[in-house]
Amino acid sequence: MLEIELDGRKVEVAEGCMVMHAAEKAGTYIPHFCYHKKLSIAANCRMCLVDVEKAPKPMPACATPAAQGMVVRTHSDKAIRAQRSVMEFLLINHPLDCPICDQGGECQLQDLAVGYGSSSSRYTEEKRVVPHKDVGPLISMEEMNRCIHCTRCVRFGQEVAGVMELGMIHRGEHAEITTVTGGTVDSELSGNMIDICPVGALTSKPFRYSARTWELSRRRSVSPHDSTGANLIVQVKNHRVMRVLPFENEAVNECWIADRDRFSYEALNAEDRLTRPMLKQGGVWKEVDWQSALEYVAQGLRSIRSAHGAGSIGALLSPHSTLEELYLAAALLRGLGSDNVDHRLRNAEFAAPEGIRWLGTSIAALSTLQRVLVVGSNLRKDHPLFAQRIRQAARHGCEVSALDSVARDWALPVAHRLVVHGAGQWVRALGGIAAALARETGIAAPQGVLSSDGADGSDPAAETAIARSLLGGERKAVLLGNAAAHHAQATQLLALANWIGTHTGATVGYLTQAANTVGAQFAGAWPVNGGLHAGEMLGGALKAALLLNTEPVHDSAAGVRAATALAAAEMVVTLSPFRANMEFSDVLLPIAAFTETPGSFVNAEGRLQSFHAVVRPPGEARPAWKVLRVLANLLEVPGFDFESAQEVLARATNAPAGSVTQLPAEQLSNAVSNAAQSAPLTGVASEPVVASIYQLDSLVRRAASLQRTADARQAAEGVAA
């Protein structure tokens, strides 16, 4: 450790730290623009000039290494004069458009100009004009005259998103940030450039000119999309969600969010929001009141149970629903005498697990991995924030290996890639890695696994390279992606991954598909007593179906076949924020979206995060937990006397609400029984069903701006990302 003197105070910092880091540790603010704690040091703006004793001139705090005994003054006359001079320089060409600037009220340049700027300018020359650029539906570059060339956006693309989509061309007064080729910014993390831009040169195109920052109230929430559980700030005006920003949480999402977390709020105000209950009578949809709709559903379920038995009733639940909603839906079905409840809509295999499938390690640990094997995942698109963490690990020397049917661009260096044409060969390929590992270590290969010479289409060289990679390093993981979880041989893949993990010291886990995949398991939202699983229910085995927050045609492995199967049922009840499933439903019950209801999500690492409603539901929509509670009361199911979502959470966790922030370690397990491990390694023909990045759930499918992105267009055209 080094000790420096900063404004008369002694500060200890690690060797290699900059003066800026020492100031942060001491709680001293040094004005800056180009410096960002998550990006490399550029020292472009020079706003952080400080007075360093014995230095001939002011030095940039962000790029000056701390040295033993160094004396730094951040508020001396010398430092203040230097900072004022830099501010005058930055404002030479900056347009005087603060009254109409979308960044007004949250602009770093505006804030610092008050403290370090002059009341008038010595420059009378005409200001430069930079042509605007159209870089896609998410980011507006209409006002590039404001750019001060801090290059935060450029460095973010290179270092965090992994794609250099923006760059600086020309020099001096003619310098400008551009895509160079005139293309669009298509990164799945691109919206973070808006956040880190200090001057309003990059702004949110969907939010642009819709509200002033001081008009917005701010509420914390949690993303309902992938399994990261990204922490959000939802900004509201007149009970309407206007913008979503990241809430910093180093253990989960750091200070970033994916574009689908940021822009999916557009769906909350979509034209097809369901605002009143609807019944289909004579093939015609009619709006009715809640009492009529719920009594109709209750009477229909009673009649079907009486005529066909409770086993003819089932529930298909979205893993994007809250823990409270999933718990009550499962409890309602079991209260009716049915165990036909499932959230695994895209799965092809439904083996009973040993415990709750999870990531196998903490999310933060992904950033420090030294070796990782990812099986069956389009990592960058399925889990953008996990990919970002692994990308940082790769920048520090982590060897990333991949097993998939397609060589995908993850925007990070993949040291070893095993491309297996056809998901039916994944078990053989993963077994090949296990066999190579056995050869390298001199141990016996797992039962049923044989070494290959490549005659069967395998790639022994790649298998051996991956095995050797996993034997190196200390911190390592084998991660199974969405396609591996949905695979027809998911259990065999997990068994082989566990064997590899055991003999390499790697953790083994699932990246997990949805915001509450882990929470749905914890809530018992699957058949635990021999009930029908999702595949059987979607195959036409039900007389009555409850669909919670899901559209089976888009959300299930059955696809369009689900519509035919459900149309044959006597009653289909859809609980959704949208007018969904209308072709085969008999009742539509409007429920609140995630911003309109309290609830909890459990992310991939088992972290339970609760949130409150930030706006009122539109029309007569109600939180799903309330709808399920009232429906259970009408059906005289005991134990549904809840008065709040917190009471439901307390019942689900068997602990006071708010006291559980992490699922019990003894319930989290990726273990596989010996019987499953010794199953024959047979092939299958079908490819796993995995949603593309902007088709994951009902919200992103209805977010207009996201559906105009390159990723959405490619998915619509059937192009692999």
Side-chain angles (χ1 to χ4, degrees), residues 624-648:
W625 74 266
K626 288 187 176 182
V627 177
L628 292 166
R629 182 202 64 190
V630 175
L631 184 57
N633 292 338
L634 290 174
L635 288 165
E636 300 179 345
V637 176
F640 278 76
D641 52 353
F642 306 104
E643 294 297 327
S644 68
Q646 287 71 31
E647 290 185 20
V648 182

Side-chain angles (χ1 to χ4, degrees), residues 477-630:
V478 179
L479 301 174
L480 302 171
N482 293 351
H486 303 164
H487 198 278
Q489 294 171 302
T491 300
Q492 291 172 262
L493 288 172
L494 178 58
L496 286 167
N498 280 334
W499 189 93
I500 292 170
T502 298
H503 292 91
T504 60
T507 62
V508 177
Y510 283 101
L511 295 168
T512 72
Q513 173 190 237
N516 228 2
T517 299
V518 174
Q521 299 172 70
F522 178 70
W526 53 10
V528 294
N529 295 310
L532 300 176
H533 57 66
E536 293 167 329
M537 287 189 273
L538 289 167
L542 298 179
K543 295 296 183 182
L546 271 66
L547 308 179
L548 175 61
N549 202 25
T550 184
E551 300 168 83
V553 171
H554 303 289
D555 295 333
S556 76
V560 294
R561 290 181 283 110
T564 304
L566 290 169
E570 294 181 17
M571 173 179 278
V572 177
V573 181
T574 292
L575 291 81
S576 174
F578 305 101
R579 298 191 178 202
N581 306 328
M582 298 185 76
E583 65 272 28
F584 52 78
S585 293
D586 300 287
V587 185
L588 298 182
L589 301 179
I591 61 173
F594 82 104
T595 54
E596 302 153 3
T597 180
S600 307
F601 292 133
V602 183
N603 69 4
E605 65 179 354
R607 183 187 296 261
L608 191 154
Q609 302 181 103
S610 297
F611 52 90
H612 297 286
V614 301
V615 292
R616 292 192 298 261
E620 296 182 20
R622 295 292 182 267
W625 74 266
K626 288 187 176 182
V627 177
L628 292 166
R629 182 202 64 190
V630 175

Side-chain angles (χ1 to χ4, degrees), residues 669-693:
S669 173
N670 296 313
V672 179
S673 66
N674 291 330
Q677 292 189 51
S678 60
L681 305 183
T682 56
V684 293
S686 60
E687 293 288 324
V689 176
V690 178
S692 61
I693 183 170

Side-chain angles (χ1 to χ4, degrees), residues 133-140 183-186 205 708-709 713:
K133 289 93 177 168
D134 184 359
V135 294
L138 305 181
I139 298 177
S140 172
T184 56
V185 174
D186 299 320
K205 190 171 282 189
R708 293 197 297 271
T709 60
R713 293 196 307 271

Side-chain angles (χ1 to χ4, degrees), residues 170-359:
H170 308 311
R171 301 185 67 183
E173 184 180 18
H174 303 291
E176 60 178 287
I177 300 293
T178 175
T179 57
V180 182
T181 61
T184 56
V185 174
D186 299 320
S187 165
E188 61 285 347
L189 298 172
S190 66
N192 294 291
M193 294 181 184
I194 300 167
D195 292 338
I196 62 176
C197 179
V199 297
L202 306 180
T203 54
S204 168
K205 190 171 282 189
F207 174 72
R208 186 173 165 84
Y209 293 138
S210 59
R212 288 293 198 176
T213 181
W214 53 83
E215 299 176 313
L216 303 173
S217 60
R218 292 160 175 79
R219 303 286 187 273
R220 285 191 60 180
S221 192
V222 179
S223 169
H225 305 304
D226 65 37
S227 58
T228 307
N231 289 201
L232 310 176
I233 297 174
V234 180
Q235 299 189 332
V236 178
K237 178 182 177 182
N238 297 331
H239 294 284
R240 182 185 177 97
V241 175
M242 306 299 293
R243 184 168 61 166
V244 173
L245 300 174
F247 182 87
E248 185 170 352
N249 187 334
E250 279 296 313
V252 181
N253 56 295
E254 301 176 88
C255 56
W256 317 120
I257 56 175
D259 286 350
R260 64 182 167 201
D261 302 325
R262 184 183 301 273
F263 296 107
S264 65
Y265 74 87
E266 287 186 296
L268 301 172
N269 307 312
E271 292 182 0
D272 67 340
R273 278 302 300 264
L274 183 63
T275 57
R276 292 197 66 194
M278 299 182 73
L279 296 181
K280 186 188 290 184
Q281 298 178 335
V284 178
W285 284 101
K286 295 183 179 179
E287 292 185 346
V288 297
D289 59 80
W290 270 107
Q291 187 70 21
S292 300
L294 290 174
E295 287 181 352
Y296 179 87
V297 173
Q299 181 57 41
L301 292 177
R302 285 195 203 96
S303 299
I304 292 171
R305 182 174 60 174
S306 175
H308 305 286
S312 65
I313 303 172
L316 296 165
L317 316 177
S318 168
H320 300 277
S321 302
T322 68
L323 179 64
E324 293 81 354
E325 293 164 359
L326 293 164
Y327 175 80
L328 287 183
L332 171 60
L333 263 291
R334 294 188 175 110
L336 292 173
S338 173
D339 192 44
N340 305 334
V341 56
D342 211 345
H343 71 280
R344 301 167 296 175
L345 306 185
R346 292 191 175 101
N347 282 31
E349 185 200 80
F350 300 91
E354 306 284 316
I356 296 173
R357 301 287 190 244
W358 69 302
L359 185 61

